[in-house]
């Protein structure tokens, strides 16, 4: 496996690499390029980089214009500001007309840490998932971020890439498949299936280790694409295991857990539980403290799995 690396740095590097191969790539940012790491692109292609300041709605509309002129725009800011403040423009100017715009929104979820609840986007996937024409990637590590950027560029239409802030251990490598809409099975087991996305893939793998010590065999699924969801994979692991736990650094309302529940409803008798952020906002604290307080831990995933198996 590759060494630990920041997902947002991987995003900026991937943009710079893609920009060297395709002169149609343009990058737009909202006064946060040093945080989103799009400065990696602007450093080598300043004539294709546009800083819109704190004007996310204008940035989204400009991106739509670039796309209509045949360019391939990637727009970046914090997830809260992009998915929230520019929602109407993303909906009407981009998704509604299926404009070929890509979103690399960083600092998502609770892992923003001390910035607090005002900056922690726990609803961005729900907002993006409800939009027709939108594809959603939630990579689990830096290697997957790079693959997600390339996959997004190859898709015609809007794509949302949810980019986490922290430095993370890599659980995938260059040989690991990244096929949009196709989940990756990280571990096989027949007692319970843990379906996770993003930073929770690491916790899911740790939970599987905890369960294995008790004789409970868990399948771990990396659902890197939330939309279109791999329904076949969901139904397959549900049938094999008879119990499914989802794990996400996002509200349990409208995110991965909701998407999996929608697939299972009326089509599977598997037991089901969701691990994620309950109906509450974030708060200030270190990422580790917040993950513990909100139950985004291997121990909580394992406990939910035990209850289902029993």
């Amino acid at each position: 496996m590759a060494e630990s690396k920041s997902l947002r740095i991987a995003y900026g590097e991937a943009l710079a690499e893609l920009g060297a191969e395709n002169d149609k790539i343009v990058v737009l940012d909202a006064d946060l390029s040093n945080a989103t790491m799009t400065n990696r692109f602007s450093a080598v292609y300043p004539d294709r980089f546009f800083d819109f300041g704190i004007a996310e709605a204008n940035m989204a509309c400009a991106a739509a214009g670039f796309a209509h002129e045949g360019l391939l725009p990637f727009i970046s800011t914090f997830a809260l500001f992009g998915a929230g403040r520019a929602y109407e423009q993303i909906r009407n100017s981009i998704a509604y007309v299926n404009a070929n715009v890509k979103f690399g929104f960083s600092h998502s979820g609770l892992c923003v840490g001390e910035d607090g609840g005002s900056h922690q986007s726990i609803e961005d996937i729900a907002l993006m998932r409800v939009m027709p024409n939108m594809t959603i990637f939630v990579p689990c590590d830096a290697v997957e971020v790079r693959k997600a950027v390339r996959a997004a560029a190859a898709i015609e239409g809007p794509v949302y890439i949810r980019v986490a802030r922290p430095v993370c251990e890599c659980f995938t490598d260059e040989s690991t498949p990244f096929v949009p809409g196709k989940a990756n099975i990280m571990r096989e087991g027949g007692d319970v299936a843990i379906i996770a996305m993003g930073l929770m893939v690491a916790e899911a793998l740790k939970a599987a280790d905890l369960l294995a010590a008790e004789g409970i065999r868990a399948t771990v699924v990396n659902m890197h694409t939330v939309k279109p969801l791999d329904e076949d994979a969901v139904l397959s692991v549900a049938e094999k295991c008879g119990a499914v736990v989802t794990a996400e650094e996002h509200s349990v309302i409208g995110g991965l857990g909701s998407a999996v529940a929608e697939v299972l409803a009326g089509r599977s008798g598997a037991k089901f539980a969701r691990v994620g952020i309950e109906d509450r906002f974030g708060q200030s604290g270190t990422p580790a403290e917040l993950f513990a307080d909100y139950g985004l831990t291997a121990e909580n995933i394992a406990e939910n799995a035990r209850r289902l198996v029993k």
Side-chain angles (χ1 to χ4, degrees), residues 15 18-27 41 45 48-49 71-74 153:
L15 286 180
L18 200 60
E21 301 168 16
N22 185 347
D23 62 7
K24 299 294 185 181
I25 302 288
V26 293
V27 172
F41 183 93
Y45 304 109
R48 288 192 271 149
F49 177 81
L71 297 172
L72 183 53
F74 279 76

Side-chain angles (χ1 to χ4, degrees), residues 86-273:
Y87 183 83
E88 179 192 346
Q89 288 71 30
I90 292 173
R91 180 192 186 277
N92 287 338
S93 296
I94 296 173
Y96 186 65
V97 296
N98 201 33
N100 196 28
V101 177
K102 318 304 170 184
F103 311 93
F105 291 166
S106 71
H107 293 62
S108 55
L110 294 178
C111 66
V112 178
E114 291 86 349
D115 286 356
S118 63
H119 282 55
Q120 292 161 355
S121 180
I122 59 172
E123 64 278 84
D124 52 308
I125 291 173
L127 291 170
M128 291 294 187
R129 192 167 76 88
V130 75
M131 287 194 211
N133 297 322
M134 187 69 69
T135 296
I136 301 174
F137 295 146
V138 188
C140 72
D141 61 22
V143 175
E144 275 203 337
V145 167
R146 299 168 79 95
K147 293 177 181 177
V149 169
R150 288 188 172 275
I155 292 171
E156 185 67 31
V159 180
Y160 177 44
I161 307 170
R162 194 186 205 226
V163 182
R165 178 186 187 183
V167 173
C168 304
E169 183 180 350
C170 288
F171 296 94
T172 68
D173 58 32
E174 294 303 329
S175 66
T176 306
F178 187 92
V179 179
K182 295 296 180 183
N184 287 342
I185 305 298
M186 307 289 283
R187 190 168 301 181
E188 295 277 5
D191 296 322
V192 62
I194 305 171
I195 302 176
M197 69 175 191
L199 300 186
M200 294 304 289
V201 171
E203 297 300 319
L205 290 168
K206 294 174 187 175
D209 289 337
L210 295 175
L211 294 168
E214 305 166 20
I216 300 172
R217 299 164 301 135
T219 287
V220 177
V221 180
N222 173 14
M223 194 64 75
H224 55 68
T225 306
V226 177
K227 185 182 181 186
L229 194 75
D230 190 344
E231 296 188 4
D232 290 341
V234 171
L235 293 172
S236 176
V237 298
E239 180 179 2
K240 179 176 75 171
C241 300
V244 175
V245 179
T246 58
E248 59 190 311
E249 187 202 358
H250 183 274
S251 172
V252 294
I253 302 169
L256 176 64
S258 292
V260 170
E262 289 162 12
V263 174
L264 296 176
R267 300 167 71 183
S268 172
K271 298 176 182 179
F272 179 63

Side-chain angles (χ1 to χ4, degrees), residues 110 120 122-123 250-253 276-283 290 292-295:
L110 294 178
Q120 292 161 355
I122 59 172
E123 64 278 84
H250 183 274
S251 172
V252 294
I253 302 169
I277 301 166
E278 299 298 333
D279 194 14
R280 56 190 289 211
F281 285 108
Q283 58 187 313
L290 293 170
D293 188 56
Y294 287 76

